[in-house]
Structures are given as C-alpha cells and as structure tokens.
Amino acid sequence: MDSAESILAGKYPARAHAAKVAEYLKNKQAGADGVIYLESQKTRMIEDNDEPQPFRQRRYFFYLSGCALPDCSLTYHIRTKHLTLFIPPIDPESVIWSGLPLSPAEALKRYDVDAVLPSTELNAYLTAQAAPSTTVWAIQGQVSDHVTFLAFGDKDFTRVKEAIEECRVVKDDYEIALTRKANAISAIAHTAVLKKVKHASNERELEAVFLERCIANGCREQAYHSIVASGPNAATLHYQKNDEKTKGRWNLLLDAAGEYECYAADITRTFPISGKFNHESRQIYNLVLRMQKECTEMLKEGVMWDDVHARAHEIAIDGLLELGILRGNPVEIFQNRTSVAFFPHGLGHYLGMDTHDTGGHPNYEDQDSMFRYLRVRGKLPAGSIITVEPGVYFCRFIIDPYLTDPTHSKYIDEKVLDRFWNVGGVRIEDDILITRGGYENLTTALKEVDEMERVINS
C-alpha cells in the first residue's frame, strides 16, 4: 500500500470524480448528456467592513476540481469527458495588495483538469457547448446572475447535487490519504493537550494549544469548532464556550480535529485533568471504551449501521446495570429506550470534506428516540469513512425528565446516579475506513488509559 505522502504527491483526482458523477446521472436518466456547471464560493466582504469573510470552499465544486480558489467555476461535458476550470483574470488593483494570482498555465499544472480559461470567457464557452437537445446540470442557488444557460434545451438544478452527495460516500485512495493526513496532524495536537492539561487553568488555554499544533503541522483550518469541555460541561454534546476554569474538575472532553486540504478528521478523547481518573470516571471510561471497541469490531462492508448503533446501546445498558445506575431487565430497558437518557446521540456519521458528510440519509423525524439522531442509516459500503463515537453522559436537563417518568424512573437508581454527575460525560471517537473484509482505524490519537495518564504525568 502506498503511503499517504506518496499518494498526495499526485493531483487530486478531479476528472475521476467528474466521471463518477456523470455516471450516476446516466444511471438515473438514460442517455443523460450535456454539461455539468459548478461554481466555487465567492469572495464575500464582512458587513460594514472592507475585509473579506473567512473563506471556505464549496464542497461540490472542490469535488470536481480540487481547486480551493474563490470566484471560480467549472464545466464538465458528459459525452466528451472534458473538464474545464475557469479562474478570475488578473485585476491590477488587486495585485497591489495581494500579489499575482494563479495563472491559467500554473492552474493547469496544479489541477487535474483538461483546460483552464479566464472567467471572462465563461458565457461564450457555455453557449458553444450548448444545443437544444442537451441539458445543463447545476445547483439551485449556486449560479451567478451573470451566467446564462439560454442556449441549453433543458436545465436541471437538483440532480447533480444529489449525484455529488452520493458519490462522496465512497472515497478513493487520494481522499483516504487526505483523511489520514488530517488524522495524523490532529493526533499530534491531541497529544499536546494531554501534556498541557494538568498545568492549564482554563479551557481556552487548551484550545489554543490544539490550534497551534494543527496550524504548525499543516492544518490551517479546523474541521469544526473545537469542543474543550471540562467537568460537567462535557455533558453538553456540542459545548462551545471553551472558557471556563478547569481546576478542581475531574475530566476534560476534547472533541477537536484539523482539516487538511478540505478533508476533515473528527476525533474525541476524554481524560483526567489531574493525571489519573478517579473511580467513577474510570468506570464510565472503561464502559465507553468497551462500547467503541466492540462496535468497531462489527464493521465491514455491508454491515447495517442501525444494528451497530443498537448494539452500542445494549453494551451501555449492560455496563450501567453492572454499575448500579440502571436496574431491572436489560431487554425491557432497551425496549423502553431508557438508555437514551445517557446516550442520546447517534453512534457516528460519514466523514469526508464535511465533518458530518453527505450520503447518510438520516431520518430526523423518526419517532424512535434511539434512532432519531443517527446520521447514517442502512448498510455501509467499502470505501466509506465513518466515525465511531459512543458516549455516556450525565446531563441533568436530559436525564431529569426520565427520573419523573414512571416508564423510565423504575429502571434508574438515583442514589447511585448521584455519584456520577461530576463525571460530566465521556465520549471516545475514531475515524474508521470500511473495507471489504473489515475496517481500518485511521485515528492514532492515544485512548488507552495507561498511555494517556503516562503522557499527562510526563
């Protein structure tokens, strides 16, 4: 197997992605022909300010171009398989402030496209490619006002978005290498936080450590806003403040990862602020680690993700029964969904250019509380990357209604539960590549208790 670095020495496979999307369109519509048209994100200014907003490339455009520049567009002719990138021409006034932009010749050398033209030639090019019998495929709301499709016989503004979202599920070797790289850099940053946590006094110090290590090692962007949650804050799934004191609290939940060339990692670790888990925290950590390991071992091509998620709940119920937090019949507890009080989210989601990547077909209207927030439903294909992130949380806002509901309260021992509130929450998350015969874990950040405690106390 080629190393990630050797794979990434080549070009992002834009033409292969375009051909894959075109094949999807042809499978959905026999004889589909015409031109796929996509635009990059535009340069947008901060309101009432002369500075641009932080730039994030449109993922649909990047998937067919590998180009992270703003104010660009592309066309892909389905029949001829010709991919053309359009980039802004030189603006002399902009050069004064920002330097020379990428030239067409440089862009052609950098990107996996057949031609590069200035964006001033776009409309003439589209007209030349059009015919009364052909279709232009574009995304609603992502076509600039000055672009004209008048010469095309048909215009479809829905299906190419669907096609790209579905094609993104199965990754090629280049995409896997990008994800592996994002994980490797993020693991460095996670280790740096382990080394710092015992000596920090505020969550924001630890966020700063993580960001510095990511940027220094090549992940200038974050895959998502870091969650740096100490003590009870870890009971909030997407805690955002990252500004509270850590002293005197038991644990830190760090859900943070870098983005490398538009591809995300997604990693969560939970560890003791003091350098050693107390008894209650260690009990919950061991349970969540067991949930993660057993569920990961179930993974391979064709496994039903819903079943893996259900198994995570069964393991959680068994563990909480052993600890005395739950009581009664495990089958009844499962059937009544009482475990959702402690594990309220889905086991994981697809990962790619977006942290919560496309193609998972969630059903947020599901009346079954155990599956409502499961972001992937159905069988996992080989080549997909999915997170496995079980958790057990002690959130009063979520649990209190269960304590007053006779359906659930009979299964929960409040006296035992009272010992665990300060655990806050424990989540452990890895990024898993699904293979034909099993899986590969792309995440290398430490998660075994002895290893984490050794680094914290080093």
Side-chain angles (χ1 to χ4, degrees):
M1 181 177 66
D2 292 336
S3 69
E5 295 298 335
S6 64
I7 293 171
L8 296 179
K11 293 182 178 182
Y12 182 88
R15 285 187 289 184
H17 290 176
K20 185 178 179 182
V21 170
E23 191 63 27
Y24 182 96
L25 293 174
K26 288 189 282 188
N27 288 336
K28 290 291 183 177
Q29 181 177 319
D33 193 14
V35 174
I36 296 171
Y37 175 78
L38 298 170
E39 292 185 0
S40 75
Q41 186 57 268
K42 306 301 181 187
T43 300
R44 302 185 188 279
M45 307 307 291
I46 298 173
E47 187 177 14
D48 300 324
N49 192 279
D50 63 356
E51 287 290 317
Q53 295 178 4
F55 178 77
R56 186 178 190 271
Q57 185 60 285
R58 280 177 174 157
R59 271 33 187 171
Y60 302 100
F61 174 84
F62 190 88
Y63 189 68
L64 270 70
S65 69
C67 175
L69 300 175
D71 307 314
C72 299
S73 56
L74 68 81
T75 61
Y76 181 73
H77 197 291
I78 292 177
R79 179 174 51 81
T80 64
K81 301 181 180 179
H82 194 273
L83 180 59
T84 304
L85 176 65
F86 295 86
I87 63 175
I90 292 177
D91 175 5
E93 290 193 9
S94 178
V95 172
I96 296 172
W97 305 102
S98 305
L100 283 168
L102 200 68
S103 70
E106 291 169 328
L108 186 61
K109 186 176 181 180
R110 179 179 297 183
Y111 304 120
D112 182 30
V113 297
D114 297 297
V116 180
L117 297 173
S119 55
T120 50
E121 298 182 19
L122 174 62
N123 276 333
Y125 186 89
L126 285 170
T127 301
Q129 297 296 310
S133 60
T134 58
T135 301
V136 61
W137 314 80
I139 296 176
Q140 186 72 41
Q142 296 187 14
V143 179
S144 297
D145 292 341
H146 71 275
V147 176
T148 178
F149 295 153
L150 292 176
F152 288 92
D154 192 18
K155 305 163 190 65
D156 188 309
F157 291 99
T158 58
R159 184 143 285 171
V160 74
K161 184 174 186 286
E162 170 194 315
I164 296 172
E165 289 178 347
E166 295 301 320
C167 289
R168 282 168 56 180
V169 172
V170 175
K171 273 64 176 178
D172 53 45
D173 288 345
Y174 199 97
E175 294 177 285
I176 294 167
L178 288 170
T179 309
R180 197 186 304 276
K181 181 78 170 181
N183 265 274
I185 294 171
S186 300
I188 293 171
H190 270 270
T191 300
V193 174
L194 283 174
K195 293 178 179 178
K196 178 70 173 178
V197 66
K198 192 174 180 179
H199 310 287
S201 61
N202 193 289
E203 295 163 347
R204 60 174 170 258
E205 296 176 54
L206 302 173
E207 182 178 20
V209 169
F210 190 89
L211 293 173
E212 187 276 334
R213 284 293 80 198
C214 280
I215 293 171
N217 286 280
C219 282
R220 186 173 180 83
E221 307 299 333
Q222 293 295 287
Y224 49 93
H225 189 286
S226 298
I227 299 167
V228 188
S230 62
N233 295 335
T236 300
L237 301 184
H238 285 174
Y239 173 73
Q240 297 285 289
K241 290 173 61 180
N242 298 352
D243 64 357
E244 292 194 6
K245 294 179 179 180
T246 58
K247 293 297 183 182
R249 292 179 169 177
W250 291 358
N251 309 309
L252 187 93
L253 186 152
L254 177 64
D255 186 340
E259 173 185 301
Y260 187 77
E261 295 185 5
C262 291
Y263 278 76
D266 190 0
I267 304 170
T268 308
R269 294 293 184 261
T270 309
F271 40 88
I273 292 172
S274 68
K276 188 172 183 60
F277 278 123
N278 64 13
H279 183 64
E280 288 80 9
S281 297
R282 181 67 182 264
Q283 287 179 310
I284 299 302
Y285 190 89
N286 286 345
L287 170 57
V288 175
L289 188 61
R290 178 186 160 203
M291 292 165 68
Q292 196 206 35
K293 288 183 174 181
E294 289 195 24
C295 289
T296 301
E297 287 300 318
M298 296 174 66
L299 300 182
K300 61 180 179 180
E301 179 185 28
V303 71
M304 184 67 71
W305 184 242
D306 308 58
D307 294 342
V308 184
H309 175 70
R311 179 59 186 149
H313 273 274
E314 291 173 346
I315 299 167
I317 291 167
D318 289 344
L320 293 173
L321 282 168
E322 291 173 8
L323 297 177
I325 296 172
L326 293 180
R327 59 192 176 193
N329 185 291
V331 175
E332 291 180 6
I333 295 171
F334 182 90
Q335 291 173 342
N336 283 291
R337 305 312 198 220
T338 305
S339 57
V340 174
F342 302 94
F343 178 27
H345 61 78
L347 181 61
H349 50 81
Y350 283 141
L351 181 71
M353 286 187 283
D354 289 316
T355 305
H356 298 153
D357 214 30
T358 59
H361 304 288
N363 177 15
Y364 298 126
E365 303 302 318
D366 197 328
Q367 295 304 301
D368 189 332
S369 62
M370 185 175 286
F371 294 93
R372 184 176 303 140
Y373 299 118
L374 190 60
R375 297 181 189 272
V376 175
R377 307 297 291 266
K379 296 180 179 180
L380 303 183
S384 61
I385 299 175
I386 196 160
T387 66
V388 180
E389 49 178 306
V392 171
Y393 310 87
F394 299 92
C395 177
R396 291 184 184 274
F397 182 82
I398 296 175
I399 295 174
D400 279 350
Y402 285 77
L403 299 178
T404 57
D405 182 343
T407 302
H408 301 290
S409 61
K410 61 185 176 182
Y411 299 120
I412 303 173
D413 189 321
E414 289 191 58
K415 286 188 177 180
V416 178
L417 175 61
D418 282 342
R419 296 181 9 230
F420 289 86
W421 291 113
N422 285 331
V423 173
V426 172
R427 181 165 65 252
I428 308 170
E429 177 181 18
D430 291 342
D431 305 336
I432 307 297
L433 171 66
I434 303 301
T435 64
R436 296 194 185 282
Y439 69 90
E440 180 186 353
N441 192 336
L442 303 179
T443 302
T444 57
L446 300 179
K447 64 180 177 183
E448 296 298 333
V449 172
D450 291 346
E451 293 178 339
M452 293 192 301
E453 292 183 347
R454 175 180 55 78
V455 173
I456 293 171
N457 292 302
S458 62

